[in-house]
Amino acid sequence: MAVTRTFSIIKPDATRRNLTGAVTKMLEEAGLRVVASKRIHMTREQAEGFYAVHKERPFFGELVDFMISGPVVVQVLEGEDAVKRNRDVMGATNPADAAEGTIRKTYAESIEANSVHGSDSDENAAIEIAFFFNEDEIVG
Ligand code: CMP
């Protein structure tokens, strides 16, 4: 299995509850390595750009408002089959559907305040990583 990269966001509900370390521990225990990380407060323009694929969805406005409601931690994660590995440890989007032992089952408050984002494909991982990081900020 190839070592690949994925993109992760620790969302405002998790930073507010001081869960950056707890979430990162679960990512690391799942076999992912944090090769880049920074805490930022997204601008509205950044959040709208990042989630542009969802702009026709009824929840888009609330999603953007939530993502700029506090700091987030954006990360690049590396590991074998990193996109799938990360999605497995995150759990289902809606914490009500998430499996035991996943980040969202453990920590998420709701489908919106669901603690983490993770890329859904290698192609989107590359796009999302480039949205927030320069190559020289990623140290594998
Ligand atoms: P994320 O993986 O960051 O990608 C898009 C986000 O939209 C998703 O996580 C959820 O937090 C949010 N989302 C998806 N569906 C809904 C919904 N029905 N209502 C509110 N937020 C949603």
Side-chain angles (χ1 to χ4, degrees):
M1 192 67 69
V3 173
T4 59
R5 288 177 177 172
T6 190
F7 175 74
S8 168
I9 305 177
I10 301 176
K11 294 188 179 185
D13 66 285
T15 61
R16 177 169 41 77
R17 288 175 288 153
N18 208 23
L19 294 172
T20 298
V23 170
T24 301
K25 183 169 190 280
M26 291 181 78
L27 296 171
E28 291 179 338
E29 285 175 350
L32 293 159
R33 180 177 297 270
V34 180
V35 295
S37 183
K38 58 188 172 191
R39 181 173 167 106
I40 62 171
H41 198 139
M42 277 193 218
T43 64
R44 182 168 295 278
E45 291 67 33
Q46 273 180 310
E48 287 177 349
F50 181 76
Y51 281 120
V53 64
H54 295 304
K55 68 174 180 298
E56 305 304 333
R57 304 278 195 102
F59 57 81
F60 180 71
E62 286 176 12
L63 173 62
V64 169
D65 286 346
F66 169 66
M67 291 301 290
I68 66 173
S69 67
V72 300
V73 178
V74 291
Q75 296 179 320
V76 182
L77 307 176
E78 198 172 80
E80 287 190 3
D81 204 5
V83 168
K84 180 177 188 305
R85 196 175 281 267
N86 186 38
R87 292 182 74 77
D88 286 349
V89 71
M90 284 195 303
T93 303
N94 188 342
D97 302 328
E100 285 298 332
T102 62
I103 293 168
R104 285 167 169 161
K105 179 71 174 184
T106 306
Y107 293 121
E109 296 179 319
S110 66
I111 191 168
E112 177 178 88
N114 65 353
S115 301
V116 279
H117 164 83
S119 308
D120 63 4
S121 66
D122 287 347
E123 295 72 26
N124 283 337
I127 293 167
E128 292 176 358
I129 289 168
F131 194 91
F132 286 105
F133 289 98
N134 296 318
E135 196 53 43
D136 66 0
E137 294 178 297
I138 304 169
V139 182

